[in-house]
């Protein structure tokens, strides 16, 4: 926060000087004034993408190219899936200026995941929509509003969704290749070396084959069919009791971290903590 009570978005030049992109109270490029700002990414060329809430104007995703503000997608814009955007949520930006974001549209109405190439005249494409068929059966039911889809350098987009249908998992993580195909990465109920997955959280695309455990109790599956990326899928909980490696003190520290990050409930924490202590 600045001394005048506003908050802003700034960029630091290589020489150490600080440049202002915009701040709350400043005019948005679609009318009205910004009331809140949240950066979602910066490209190597210096383009900044951010989400802005606007008073007397539409909320949405905006960009700054080093000299001027522009729009990526805002409420009221035409959706590539038909209708218009009724809400625009969080997103991520890759180094090439491709943005992936969640939004709701009037057609349906329903929500979806979208891809935008950021420029003076952004081009938008649909990645996935609620009701679409999945490669493991059933349909995509909802996309969590609190999570942002992840986009990698090749333009592949990873996201988590709950599923609908008989005999299908309750949720899964998917990767939509830049070429258009949708692939399943991991789903609730699948076995791992440490137990079955029971809940999935944030997803992050990482470079090809650069995969490892993403978090305590986490699981990173083999690379999906898309050769451009692998997904790290932290797991909120599992059927096995506790982290099985490390000293008891380290296992308790890991458990506390899971609880503090909201990945396990207080009840789960206490139950597993007792097991660890009883095993001393």
């Amino acid at each position: 926060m600045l001394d005048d009570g506003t908050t802003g978005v700034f960029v630091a030049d290589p020489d150490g000087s600080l440049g202002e992109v915009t701040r709350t109270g400043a005019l948005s490029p679609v009318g009205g004034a910004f009331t809140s700002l949240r950066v979602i990414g910066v490209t190597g060329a210096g383009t900044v993408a951010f989400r802005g809430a606007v008073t007397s104007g539409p909320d949405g995703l905006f960009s700054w190219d080093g000299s001027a503000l522009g729009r990526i997608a805002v409420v009221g814009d035409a959706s590539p899936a038909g209708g218009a955007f009724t809400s625009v949520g969080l997103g991520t930006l890759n180094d090439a200026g491709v943005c992936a974001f969640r939004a709701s549209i009037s057609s349906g109405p329903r929500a979806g995941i979208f891809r935008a190439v950021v420029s003076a005249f952004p081009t938008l494409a649909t990645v996935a929509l609620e009701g679409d068929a999945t490669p493991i059966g059933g349909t995509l039911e909802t996309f969590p509003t609190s999570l942002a889809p992840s986009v990698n350098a090749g333009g592949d987009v990873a996201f988590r969704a709950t599923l609908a249908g008989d005999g299908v998992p309750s949720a899964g993580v998917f990767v939509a290749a830049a070429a258009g195909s949708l692939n399943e990465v991991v789903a609730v109920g699948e076995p791992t070396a440490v137990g079955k997955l029971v809940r999935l959280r944030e997803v992050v695309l990482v470079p090809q084959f650069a995969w490892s455990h993403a978090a305590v109790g986490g699981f990173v599956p083999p690379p999906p069919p898309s050769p451009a990326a692998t997904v790290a899928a932290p797991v909120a909980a599992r059927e096995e009791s506790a982290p099985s490696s490390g000293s008891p003190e380290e296992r308790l520290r890991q458990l506390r971290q899971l609880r503090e990050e909201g990945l396990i409930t207080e009840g789960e924490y206490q139950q597993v903590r007792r097991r660890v202590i009883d095993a001393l």
Side-chain angles (χ1 to χ4, degrees), residues 55 75 77 105 117 137 140 146 173 233 240 242-243 249 254:
T55 181
V75 172
D77 282 351
I105 60 175
V117 178
L140 300 172
S146 59
V173 172
E240 299 267 328
E249 292 78 10
Q254 293 171 351

Side-chain angles (χ1 to χ4, degrees), residues 38 40 51 87-92 100-104 111-113 130 142-150 158-162 199-203 261-263:
R38 180 169 177 175
I40 64 170
R51 188 184 186 282
S87 69
V88 177
L90 297 176
T92 55
F101 63 97
R102 181 197 181 281
S104 296
I113 306 295
E130 291 175 350
T142 59
F143 306 102
T145 58
S146 59
L147 304 181
S150 180
F159 60 90
R160 180 171 71 89
T162 61
R199 198 181 316 151
L200 303 172
R201 293 285 294 178
E202 293 84 357
V203 297
E261 293 177 355
L263 299 181

